[in-house]
Every structure is written in C-alpha cells, then in structure tokens.
Amino acid sequence: MEKSPKITRRAALGGAAAAAGLLPLAMRPRPARAQSRSYALDPREVASGVWMIEGLREVFSRENGGAIVNIALLETEAGAVVIDTGSTGAMGAAIRSFADDRLGGTALVINTHHHPDHWFGNAAFADIPQIAPAATIAACTQFGSDFAAALYAILGPWMSGTKPHPAGTATQNGPLEIGGRELHLTELAGHTAADLVIADSRTGTLIAGDMLFLERAPSLPDADFSLWLQSLDRIAGAVRPSGTIPGHGPYHRDDAALLMTRAYLEKTRARLALAADLGLTRIEAMSAGPVPEFARLGANPEEYMRSVVRRWPDQEAAALPLVSQG
C-alpha cells in the first residue's frame, strides 16, 4: 500500500481554499442578501437512535452559511455522540442545542478529517471530550488559523466568534463503547491523509465522512486517487451496512455512494491524465469541464475546477519525462 500523503503548508492552504469554496475571481459567489444568519437545521432519525442533519450539496457561500456538510448524532445513555460539528461556531451551537433538547446532551464529539466544514463547530463543545485521528489533529492544529482566514473571507458574518478548536485525543482503530452503544472506528486515507469511518453496531449504519459522496461532486484538493480507491475496496469488503450517511449527500440503503464515488475518482483521474498526455495546459483542462456524466452533480463545475488546480502537478509529473541534469 502507498504511504499516506504528507500535509504541507502549501497543500493545506490549497485544501483550505478548496474546502472553503474559494473560487477563481470570476466564479466567486455574489455578496449575500440580507439574512438572519441563523441555521434552520432539520435533524431526522434515519435509523433507531441515529440522527442526520443533511447539508446542502453546494460549495461554501454567504447564501448558505457553510451548511454544506452532513452531521450524524447517535443517541446513547450518556448523551449524544456527535460526528462532525459543521463549519462555524454558530452551526456547532445549533447542533449542540438539538442534542441538549432532544438527546440528553452530548457525551462525545468525533471529527472524521481535517477539512474545516467538519470541525469548525468544535468550540461549541469545548467542555465535551473530542477525538479524531492523530494526523487530523496535527493538521487542524497546524493550519487552523489558515482555514479560519479562508472561511472568514467567504462566509463573512456567519463566522462571527468562530475559533479553531481541534480535537484533543487521538482515535484508535477498533471498537468504542459509550453509553451502552458500541461503535467501530476505522482510519482510512485518500480523501485526506487521515479519514475516519464509523460503524454503529446497533443499527448497522455506516457514517462514512468524506470517504463517500452522493449526488455531490467529491472534493479532491488533498486527494490521493490510489489510496482513496484502496480505501473504497476496504469499505466494500466489510460487512454491508444497513444504511449509509455519506459526508455529503443523502442517506441511502444501497451502495450508491460507493459506486458513484469510485466512478467519479476513476473517470476524473483518467480525464486529467488524458489532458496531460495530450499536452494541454491547466487552463485548457479546466475549460474542458468535468466528465459529462458528472457535470450536473451538486458543487460542479466548481469542484472539478479546484480538482484541476490542485491535482494538475501530479498529472504533469506522470505525463512528462524527467530530464536528467547530470
């Protein structure tokens, strides 16, 4: 198996910009219309004691306040296990309010990876134990301020009072029991250097984080195509879940997200490789647009554009021979 990609400052800044919806100037969202800047979250119970808050299938904008990520909450006798906390402090506070009102409070926060839409609500749970993969904690700690700057630039007032608050304890692969509910944690890689998926033993629900997308273009700024595809093989080889909550997209009871994510990765990689082999420039590859069958996915063509920006050096390195200086 290939080594997990290292997170450099340059990569993290690029990933922050991509995750925060930073677009080329001509593509940036228009300023938001007047709005209350409150999150009208709509949690629904998708399995016994498993609640999902579904994010919009969009890139970040002042119109949506960053409410683009799926949140899972699992009921336990000790309170809720909150999996990912959203993009802003206010969103985290709204999630916690639901947990307090309906689920007996919060017992534990789990962050699936380092992209800021999945953990910038952590500060609303500052008094609650928070866990994440060790590599995720390291990236959040090192680059949190850079992520915040990117999000403030896009979301503006929605970010008011938001401060980076990385998880404090590293996750361990294997079972985790809390409040009478048993979870199984598996650290994978490919979407980022560390991607956590959580299986709920009671209901068979898989909370996949951004390992899986459905009806929304996958985010590729930090992606390693080969590692991600290997991780999808591991997910496919595990016990088939009764239902899946992807990082972005609807809850579903089949393998739709697995199939779509795999096809998107394979065909996008092939498209970029062909463009590089033909000697196209980065701008020409961007102008070609996404693979046609994925062009109408949520967050496209923006996600495809960012994928070209971030992944193009990989394609050029593979397509062009190394000329020895010796």
Side-chain angles (χ1 to χ4, degrees):
M1 178 177 291
E2 300 178 32
K3 294 182 179 179
S4 297
K6 293 182 178 179
I7 301 174
T8 63
R9 179 178 179 83
R10 181 179 178 185
L13 287 172
L22 293 176
L23 311 176
L25 183 60
M27 297 178 60
R28 288 181 184 171
R30 296 177 180 177
R33 299 180 292 274
Q35 52 189 302
S36 65
R37 294 197 300 275
S38 62
Y39 291 94
L41 304 181
D42 183 25
R44 63 188 181 97
E45 193 173 14
V46 295
S48 178
V50 178
W51 294 78
M52 174 183 175
I53 299 170
E54 186 172 343
L56 298 171
R57 293 160 213 164
E58 302 173 0
V59 296
F60 276 108
S61 73
R62 294 199 184 190
E63 285 79 7
N64 61 38
I68 64 171
V69 62
N70 289 344
I71 309 298
L73 302 97
L74 309 180
E75 294 183 54
T76 84
E77 296 170 3
V81 175
V82 177
I83 302 174
D84 290 333
T85 60
S87 310
T88 69
M91 188 172 177
I95 294 166
R96 181 162 187 174
S97 179
F98 171 75
D100 289 345
D101 293 344
R102 295 288 301 275
L103 306 179
T106 302
L108 179 68
V109 167
I110 303 175
N111 298 142
T112 58
H113 63 286
H114 80 274
H115 285 164
D117 51 327
H118 292 260
W119 68 277
F120 257 46
N122 278 12
F125 301 87
D127 58 325
I128 303 298
Q130 301 178 9
I131 63 175
T136 295
I137 295 173
C140 294
T141 300
Q142 186 173 1
F143 303 115
S145 295
D146 297 320
F147 290 152
L151 286 175
Y152 268 100
I154 285 295
L155 299 182
W158 288 97
M159 285 285 289
S160 180
T162 300
K163 295 181 180 179
H165 190 285
T169 302
T171 54
Q172 301 293 327
N173 276 312
L176 172 67
E177 193 278 331
I178 182 167
R181 194 161 203 134
E182 184 173 299
L183 311 177
H184 194 279
L185 279 53
T186 304
E187 293 183 18
L188 301 171
H191 172 65
T192 68
D195 297 283
L196 188 68
V197 299
I198 300 103
D200 174 44
S201 299
R202 183 179 300 176
T203 64
T205 303
L206 179 69
I207 299 95
D210 280 7
M211 277 283 94
L212 296 179
F213 287 71
L214 184 60
E215 299 180 13
R216 199 261 194 203
S219 176
L220 308 180
D222 297 310
D224 181 305
F225 287 103
S226 295
L227 279 177
W228 198 339
L229 289 167
Q230 290 171 18
S231 292
L232 294 182
D233 288 340
R234 288 188 60 184
I235 293 172
V239 176
R240 181 165 179 168
S242 63
T244 299
I245 297 176
H248 300 264
Y251 171 83
H252 53 287
R253 295 185 179 278
D254 53 24
D255 55 0
L258 184 68
L259 294 175
M260 195 219 81
T261 304
R262 183 188 299 280
Y264 190 95
L265 293 176
E266 292 176 340
K267 294 181 180 182
T268 298
R269 179 171 64 175
R271 189 174 186 81
L272 296 181
L274 177 61
D277 287 342
L278 292 173
L280 301 185
T281 66
R282 188 193 317 238
I283 297 301
E284 288 172 327
M286 291 173 66
S287 298
V291 176
E293 69 184 89
F294 302 123
R296 295 185 179 276
L297 288 178
N300 255 346
E302 296 93 336
E303 282 294 359
Y304 172 77
M305 298 277 190
R306 286 196 292 276
S307 299
V308 176
V309 170
R310 294 298 305 150
R311 301 271 59 87
W312 192 247
D314 301 340
Q315 303 304 322
E316 286 186 323
L320 301 176
L322 178 65
V323 178
S324 175
Q325 296 179 357

